[in-house]
Amino acid sequence: MTEVQRSHTERALAVTFLLFAFTSTLSIAVSQMMLGLSLALFIVLMLSQRTNPFAGRLKLFYIVAALWIGWLLFTAVLGKTPTRSMWLCREEWLFVIIPIGVVLLRSAAMRTRVLYALAAGVRLISVYCYIMDFTGWAGFSSYDPGPAPGFGWRVAGTFSHRMTFGNYYA
């Protein structure tokens, strides 16, 4: 890979990771698509640079994460419903955020950009929540919010996993 191609790949990786950070507050599906694109670009970049992103200070963490995922898959195969059990492990692929982030966030400028992207997404979803709380309008949700005790409406996110949404909203 030429230096120009590598530079374009690095920029595309940065953009898709920034989009992942921004959309993680708005849509799990879109954010995971951006992370998938980031992963593909990350693999291309690491192969072209002949770099091992799993060496260094986080090597022990990567080993433990790999053992964890291996254990989950091993126990899934041994269970009564191996396909269903493996399907339940589908979120473990999100561990790829760590090596991508470690490589990208070496740059102070990139750390600032990721922080701004995440903050912009949080700000946008917070405005949406305030509107929902005061008006009951839930334009991006599949169900209407119920009344909150005392005043307003119960705030619900744009995706079904309430814990993740709660973390951003809090």
Side-chain angles (χ1 to χ4, degrees):
M1 180 180 278
T2 68
E3 194 62 36
V4 173
Q5 290 171 323
R6 189 173 297 128
S7 175
H8 289 312
T9 305
E10 287 172 354
R11 280 195 194 107
L13 174 60
V15 167
T16 56
F17 196 77
L18 288 170
L19 286 171
F20 158 72
F22 176 75
T23 60
S24 67
T25 63
L26 309 170
S27 168
I28 292 289
V30 174
S31 69
Q32 287 192 9
M33 283 189 279
M34 291 298 106
L35 184 59
L37 289 172
S38 294
L39 177 60
L41 292 166
F42 179 74
I43 290 170
V44 167
L45 192 62
M46 292 300 107
L47 289 174
S48 71
Q49 292 178 346
R50 300 189 194 291
T51 305
N52 179 5
F54 304 110
R57 287 191 270 175
L58 290 176
K59 184 178 182 178
L60 180 61
F61 171 79
Y62 295 134
I63 291 170
V64 171
L67 288 171
W68 168 253
I69 293 169
W71 176 255
L72 287 176
L73 294 175
F74 175 72
T75 56
V77 169
L78 295 179
K80 291 180 181 179
T81 57
T83 306
R84 184 178 185 289
S85 297
M86 282 192 278
W87 177 253
L88 293 173
C89 300
R90 68 184 179 272
E91 297 296 326
E92 265 55 42
W93 84 280
L94 295 173
F95 274 114
V96 302
I97 296 168
I98 296 165
I100 297 170
V102 166
V103 168
L104 283 177
L105 299 180
R106 289 179 185 156
S107 156
M110 189 61 186
R111 285 192 298 267
T112 302
R113 288 182 189 120
V114 170
L115 183 63
Y116 283 153
L118 187 58
V122 170
R123 215 175 270 140
L124 184 63
I125 200 68
S126 295
V127 168
Y128 170 68
C129 292
Y130 284 124
I131 291 169
M132 187 186 309
D133 182 43
F134 289 109
T135 67
W137 177 78
F140 303 109
S141 185
S142 59
Y143 53 90
D144 292 331
F151 173 77
W153 303 90
R154 290 187 185 271
V155 174
T158 57
F159 42 89
S160 61
H161 198 283
R162 295 176 191 272
M163 185 173 164
T164 305
F165 178 74
N167 290 339
Y168 281 120
Y169 186 58

